Amino acid sequence: MNTISYVFGNNLYLNITNRCMMACPYCIKHKWANNFHGNDLKLQKEPSAQDIIKNIGDPKKYGEIIFCGYGDALVKPNIVKEVSKWVKDNGGKVRINTAGLANRYHQKNILPQLKGLADAVSISLNGTNPKEHNELNRPAFGEESFDEIIKFAKEAKEYIPQVVITAVELPGLDVSKVEKIAKDAGVEFRVRPYLDENEN
Ligand code: SF4
């Protein structure tokens, strides 16, 4: 079953790819049998921009349209741009939830392309130093990923009005240290509860 979008609270979440730049051991992808809030997010086929747009309906019905997962939408920046432009043109607000490794993944700065299209970006940083981050999330670029994510957050401020670093209350993770990293980077911080079925 291809669940492209699902409602949670006042927002509509988009599930456009299951590919990700991290391989977090706590990701629900490792136990797909547990549906996420009643939605089966395992995609048999990645949707096109037009598939996603049709699925959204009226974006004004929601507080935000959120690119979420399980996967990282910024694996596919062209789709994110096309859908975001349509959402903005039709009166909606766009948030992108990401692992913050897209610039490294694409080997170029993709943030300028999101200017005027994304209202907010939430960047997950589950770790307080390169070693801990690598152990907790198994990112594609190993321990280098930690500094890359903080750099991504700082650069995002130039192009996206609201930039938030988020941390999940994983057992043993000192989220107050992540909060300080966010503050030092000049971005907002939000803590997320550990539900044993976390989003990116
Ligand atoms: S939890 Fe999020 S960031 Fe981690 S592997 Fe899953 S989709 Fe990627």
Side-chain angles (χ1 to χ4, degrees):
M1 168 87 180
N2 282 317
T3 298
I4 299 173
S5 69
Y6 57 97
V7 178
F8 191 57
N10 188 31
N11 299 320
L12 185 73
Y13 289 78
L14 301 179
N15 175 44
I16 73 164
T17 181
N18 291 154
R19 290 182 284 155
C20 189
M21 300 130 189
M22 304 222 270
C24 309
Y26 52 86
C27 181
I28 198 174
K29 286 194 292 188
H30 304 302
K31 44 181 178 181
W32 282 113
N34 291 0
N35 290 347
F36 184 72
H37 300 290
N39 298 290
D40 181 358
L41 301 181
K42 185 172 188 176
L43 292 169
Q44 306 303 325
K45 181 173 167 275
E46 291 186 347
S48 67
Q50 285 309 312
D51 290 337
I52 300 163
I53 286 167
K54 266 189 237 153
N55 216 270
I56 293 172
D58 179 3
K60 294 194 293 298
K61 278 175 29 189
Y62 307 101
E64 291 179 300
I65 307 294
I66 303 178
F67 290 92
C68 189
Y70 283 90
D72 192 319
L74 290 182
V75 166
K76 306 184 78 176
N78 289 339
I79 299 274
V80 171
K81 280 190 293 175
E82 187 174 342
V83 173
S84 298
K85 182 171 185 329
W86 180 86
V87 169
K88 298 292 291 174
D89 287 348
N90 287 277
K93 286 185 74 176
V94 172
R95 174 181 296 269
I96 301 168
N97 289 2
T98 180
L101 290 168
N103 286 352
R104 177 68 185 269
Y105 182 81
H106 296 289
Q107 299 194 333
K108 66 176 180 183
N109 185 3
I110 64 152
L111 286 163
Q113 301 174 42
L114 300 173
K115 188 170 182 170
L117 301 180
D119 298 285
V121 61
S122 293
I123 303 162
S124 57
L125 185 66
N126 296 310
T128 59
N129 58 63
K131 187 169 180 293
E132 184 185 42
H133 182 267
N134 190 41
E135 285 170 2
L136 285 175
N137 308 283
R138 298 184 198 152
F141 311 108
E143 292 190 11
E144 291 172 26
S145 303
F146 182 78
D147 288 341
E148 185 70 41
I149 293 166
I150 295 168
K151 187 171 164 225
F152 185 86
K154 288 178 180 168
E155 287 181 357
K157 289 186 290 179
E158 288 181 42
Y159 306 102
I160 300 176
Q162 186 185 29
V163 181
V164 185
I165 282 180
T166 66
V168 174
E169 288 175 314
L170 295 169
L173 176 63
D174 186 347
V175 293
S176 70
K177 286 188 180 167
V178 186
E179 182 171 15
K180 177 157 186 337
I181 292 166
K183 195 175 166 197
D184 291 347
V187 305
E188 295 177 36
F189 175 73
R190 187 158 64 86
V191 67
R192 294 177 162 191
Y194 180 50
L195 302 172
D196 202 24
E197 49 174 27
N198 284 289
E199 311 158 48
N200 64 359

